[in-house]
Amino acid sequence: MPARFDVRTESEGAVLLDSLSRPLRDLRLSVTDRCNLRCTYCMPREIFGPDHQFLPKELILSYEEMTVLVKAISGLGLHKLRLTGGEPLLRKDLHRLIQMLRTELGEEMDIAMTTNGILLAKHADELAKAGLNRVTVSLDSLDDEIFRMMSDTKAEVADVLNGIEAAKNAGLGIKVNCVIRKGSNESQILPLVNHFRNTGVCLRFIEYMDVGNSNEWSLEEVVPASEMIDMINREFPIQPLAASHVGQVAKTWEYLDGAGSLGFITSVSQPFCGDCCRARLSVDGHLYTCLFASKGTDLMSPLRQGLSEKELAELTSEIWRKRDDRYSELRGKLGKELEKVEMSYIGG
Ligand code: SAM
Ligand code: SF4
Ligand code: SF4
């Protein structure tokens, strides 16, 4: 059987592989565990209310510390870095972090950010100038009432659309993520498709996932991608495209009339753990090797104790070599009692 992954790095060293032969290509860096929205499927207000204890300042990585850790990990074969959270734009002067990362990681590194877009109009320009390549903006509805209900906010859809426009004007690549939750926003699938066709923005529908322990997920609330595809195909004919790279999260389709492409993230109906090259670094410096992990490894303490970049890289290699995570493929077989970290903490 041909190897799924190229096993040489650019520098011709042997590539670091986990126990299921997956390389480490993609790092998600959570820059805050706080958020200005309370999406019911991610940070329900009953749990993330006024009494919720977010991480105290002393346990949060500084931009300097983040840069050292990411630089150490980047040497292990990283191609892509995504800033996320929580809401990354709540972190003060985020462009300063992007500038530091760009300087340390070089022009080749793909640096992206996932955001709810509420504060994007204000910051798009400075983020692009600092070296950010792309943004993924989350938007679950074009209808204000549904948007406010799902994100439990007083903000408006127009705030997010203005953010997308500003990102476009700043020259950033743009994707839009939309979580579909049955009974809440299936009615928005076609309006969103219609809105983003012919705009150069790649719209991606995400199956509602059982992340964290707070959203009381049930399989009945998942709309499988196959249903979404049928619905869209009836109005706007589409066809599947071949994956452009191994480890691609979304399955990409294109409109037959040339209106662009769209994607589906099928974590529930068609898990893609076999190609998963992602690690996550939480804002308190813990490395997680799966979105559904219950425990991460503390890299903040060794960093603060003065370990060198090389030693931090060795520590990460050890963790990655042992990695055997494939939660989505085992979903339903692991028992309900499994404690998982929250997505707003680990980074989506
Ligand atoms: N706050 C930013 C945002 O919303 O874009 C970044 C962090 S958020 C945790 C990252 C992504 O995770 C968002 O696109 C969000 O829609 C998605 N997400 C959160 N909870 C989810 C769930 N239960 N199922 C599927 N996707 C989810
Ligand atoms: Fe905040 Fe993003 Fe989670 Fe919504 S999905 S609550 S915007 S972190
Ligand atoms: Fe990767 Fe874990 Fe998601 Fe599977 S469940 S794709 S291993 S993050």
Side-chain angles (χ1 to χ4, degrees):
M1 201 170 82
R4 256 203 329 266
F5 297 106
D6 176 10
V7 289
R8 300 262 112 199
T9 54
E10 291 76 10
S11 57
E12 291 311 302
V15 163
L16 169 70
L17 297 175
D18 72 6
S19 73
L20 300 173
S21 297
R22 300 167 296 187
L24 171 49
R25 289 270 166 83
D26 180 345
L27 181 68
R28 312 255 161 128
L29 170 63
S30 175
V31 300
T32 177
D33 59 339
R34 292 162 194 257
C35 190
N36 46 355
L37 299 186
R38 286 291 177 274
C39 301
T40 50
Y41 51 73
C42 178
M43 296 180 78
R45 205 174 287 277
E46 310 83 82
I47 292 167
F48 293 89
D51 297 335
H52 181 76
Q53 295 287 315
F54 289 98
L55 286 165
K57 199 161 178 241
E58 63 279 11
L59 287 186
I60 285 180
L61 293 171
S62 68
Y63 288 168
E64 286 71 17
E65 289 173 326
M66 285 179 184
T67 308
V68 173
L69 280 178
V70 173
K71 178 82 192 317
I73 298 171
S74 73
L76 303 175
L78 223 58
H79 289 219
K80 199 155 82 177
L81 173 67
R82 177 174 294 280
L83 307 192
T84 177
E87 174 46 39
L89 291 177
L90 288 188
R91 192 85 191 235
K92 193 162 178 275
D93 295 333
L94 190 69
H95 64 282
R96 208 169 60 78
L97 172 64
I98 291 171
Q99 215 157 34
M100 291 162 70
L101 291 166
R102 178 57 74 204
T103 306
E104 286 300 320
L105 304 176
E107 289 306 311
E108 290 297 297
M109 184 65 71
D110 178 16
I111 306 183
M113 176 180 75
T114 307
T115 170
N116 60 36
I118 303 286
L119 300 170
L120 187 56
K122 193 168 162 208
H123 297 289
D125 233 11
E126 64 193 15
L127 295 170
K129 286 198 181 104
L132 186 70
N133 299 115
R134 303 183 291 116
V135 281
T136 298
V137 181
S138 303
L139 178 62
D140 299 330
S141 168
L142 286 175
D143 175 285
D144 267 322
E145 204 177 315
I146 299 176
F147 173 76
R148 291 202 184 118
M149 187 262 293
M150 284 188 78
S151 45
D152 195 358
T153 176
K154 291 195 172 71
E156 294 176 5
V157 172
D159 300 327
V160 183
L161 294 178
N162 289 341
I164 293 173
E165 203 49 38
K168 207 186 263 181
N169 293 337
L172 293 166
I174 304 169
K175 289 179 185 159
V176 167
N177 271 359
C178 171
V179 177
I180 296 294
R181 187 174 187 178
K182 195 176 271 180
S184 298
N185 65 335
E186 308 100 301
S187 66
Q188 294 303 298
I189 296 176
L190 291 178
L192 280 161
V193 165
N194 197 31
H195 184 90
F196 287 111
R197 275 163 47 80
N198 288 309
T199 60
V201 170
C202 181
L203 173 65
R204 294 142 25 116
F205 291 105
I206 309 180
E207 290 175 348
Y208 173 43
M209 290 188 285
D210 49 338
V211 288
N213 310 292
S214 313
N215 61 16
E216 299 191 351
W217 182 87
S218 98
L219 190 57
E220 278 96 74
E221 289 182 284
V222 178
V223 180
S226 57
E227 274 180 34
M228 302 188 217
I229 289 168
D230 283 347
M231 183 194 280
I232 296 166
N233 193 40
R234 281 195 290 273
E235 286 293 314
F236 305 102
I238 50 176
Q239 66 182 7
L241 289 170
S244 62
H245 59 272
V246 177
Q248 189 172 316
V249 175
K251 295 185 174 54
T252 312
W253 289 58
E254 66 178 353
Y255 299 105
L256 293 185
D257 65 1
S261 60
L262 74 170
F264 299 90
I265 301 178
T266 60
S267 332
V268 180
S269 69
Q270 288 170 270
F272 38 81
C273 301
D275 288 343
C276 180
C277 314
R278 280 177 300 285
R280 290 176 160 86
L281 189 60
S282 63
V283 67
D284 59 351
H286 284 59
L287 189 79
Y288 290 84
T289 54
C290 179
L291 177 57
F292 298 91
S294 39
K295 265 208 339 246
T297 308
D298 179 16
L299 295 183
M300 177 193 264
S301 306
L303 170 74
R304 290 189 176 175
Q305 281 152 15
L307 252 64
S308 68
E309 192 183 302
K310 186 161 174 280
E311 288 166 320
L312 290 165
E314 276 162 12
L315 199 55
T316 308
S317 313
E318 266 173 51
I319 298 164
W320 192 261
R321 270 194 211 98
K322 290 189 197 133
R323 176 187 190 238
D324 62 359
D325 306 277
R326 51 190 195 100
Y327 175 87
S328 288
E329 290 182 349
L330 302 174
R331 181 178 278 115
K333 297 177 197 135
L334 292 171
K336 237 183 151 51
E337 65 287 352
L338 192 78
E339 269 287 305
K340 295 168 271 171
V341 291
E342 293 299 332
M343 196 168 185
S344 53
Y345 156 76
I346 197 179

